[in-house]
Amino acid sequence: MIQKEQVFITPFSTYRTLHIHLPQDYKNSTERYPVMYMFDGHNLFNDADATYGTSWSLETFLNSYDKPFIIVGLECNHEGNQRLSEFSPYTFSTPYLGHVYGKGDQLMDWMVNELKPYIDSRYRTMPLRECTGIGGSSMGGLMALYGILHYNSIFSKAACLSSAVFGCKEKILSEFQKTSLSPDTRVYLSWGTKELAKSVFQDQRINDMKMLVNEFTARNASAIFRLIENGQHNETTWGQQNKAVFDYLWRS
């Protein structure tokens, strides 16, 4: 069951759509559920809502998965390059993306201090850190990575698929120096073998993911990197990982 509702993002003084998945028996039970906060909510559940016509088919997967969740998907800003700005916690420049003025730190602060309390008060969640995760792909994967590092007291699990760390790798690495990770932290990272045309860039991104795994494990957290054979930078590839993501984060 997907519900859509408008929420006010205080630091940006604007409304945005939430795409919220509730378990099938939500209305007929009193059970409380773990929560995953995810980016690009419009691309998660229904092809009709997805930017390029294909979603992760996450609702179909969850309806047959034997562990129920609430998923809170935050739709991105579709105006110009505002998605890049709002989904980057850092300001950086690259030849490919140009100059990105990062506002993701403000967005994440809002998610932790306003959105999560709102969701916990409105829905039957398990609000504890151990029952709260964060996830996304591409720039959303970068935000999930930032979230698990910068707000490790809030999130215990992160799904970081095809994370766009190439423009701010040093800044992400500096986050590891600022935080103390709980040993129950679990992070899923992935990259597809056909995401980039040039093999040299592919090798760099794969090495970046392996480096991040090493940084997490060096701090007694758990992390895994999956190289997706023939995987591309799109919702089809990310949706194919639904089971792997949820199994690793919530069952291992």
Side-chain angles (χ1 to χ4, degrees):
M1 177 171 59
I2 303 298
Q3 294 191 173
K4 298 180 183 179
E5 59 179 274
Q6 296 292 299
V7 65
F8 187 73
I9 303 181
T10 307
F12 304 152
S13 297
T14 189
Y15 285 91
R16 194 71 47 75
T17 302
L18 296 179
H19 299 248
I20 302 173
H21 162 83
L22 299 176
Q24 288 177 301
D25 65 346
Y26 184 85
K27 290 185 177 180
N28 299 317
S29 77
T30 58
E31 186 176 350
R32 290 186 172 272
Y33 303 93
V35 182
M36 282 284 289
Y37 291 86
M38 301 186 70
F39 298 94
D40 295 311
H42 53 293
N43 288 334
L44 297 177
F45 306 114
N46 299 312
D47 291 352
D49 291 327
T51 301
Y52 300 108
T54 301
S55 71
W56 292 34
S57 298
L58 187 54
E59 184 180 36
T60 299
F61 165 74
L62 289 172
N63 284 345
S64 62
Y65 198 58
D66 60 358
K67 184 177 177 64
F69 292 88
I70 292 174
I71 307 293
V72 179
L74 176 66
E75 187 157 336
C76 74
N77 188 329
H78 299 282
E79 298 178 8
N81 68 348
Q82 287 303 303
R83 176 179 177 274
L84 298 179
S85 179
E86 291 186 9
F87 283 4
S88 175
Y90 313 109
T91 296
F92 65 90
S93 298
T94 72
Y96 178 67
L97 295 179
H99 183 74
V100 176
Y101 177 70
K103 298 190 288 187
D105 54 341
Q106 300 174 59
L107 182 64
M108 189 67 69
D109 182 75
W110 168 80
M111 290 177 69
V112 166
N113 293 301
E114 295 187 49
L115 179 60
K116 185 178 185 299
Y118 168 77
I119 295 295
D120 289 338
S121 67
R122 184 170 174 79
Y123 298 97
R124 295 195 311 276
T125 69
M126 294 178 177
L128 298 176
R129 172 188 178 277
E130 292 78 9
C131 303
T132 307
I134 190 168
S137 58
S138 192
M139 295 300 290
L142 171 62
M143 286 289 282
L145 187 59
Y146 173 79
I148 197 73
L149 289 168
H150 205 76
Y151 293 96
N152 196 248
S153 62
I154 303 297
F155 304 108
S156 63
K157 301 165 180 67
C160 309
L161 285 66
S162 304
S163 302
V165 302
F166 51 88
C168 50
K169 183 167 58 177
E170 297 304 318
K171 294 180 180 180
I172 277 289
L173 287 175
S174 71
E175 294 291 341
F176 284 96
Q177 312 305 321
K178 302 174 187 176
T179 188
S180 177
L181 296 176
S182 173
D184 69 343
T185 300
R186 302 191 68 81
V187 182
Y188 175 102
L189 299 116
S190 69
W191 192 267
T193 61
K194 293 187 176 180
E195 295 206 32
L196 299 172
K198 294 185 178 181
S199 60
V200 61
F201 295 141
Q202 276 287 105
D203 292 343
Q204 289 174 0
R205 300 294 80 77
I206 292 168
N207 288 336
D208 288 346
M209 298 304 110
K210 292 179 178 178
M211 172 197 65
L212 291 170
V213 168
N214 290 337
E215 292 290 338
F216 279 110
T217 56
R219 290 160 177 79
N220 298 315
S222 298
I224 188 175
F225 167 62
R226 290 190 69 222
L227 183 62
I228 309 301
E229 191 65 31
N230 296 317
Q232 301 180 49
H233 199 83
N234 59 32
E235 281 70 28
T236 298
T237 294
W238 299 324
Q240 289 170 350
Q241 299 172 64
N242 285 334
K243 187 175 189 305
V245 168
F246 280 82
D247 281 354
Y248 180 76
L249 294 183
W250 297 95
R251 293 197 178 283
S252 301

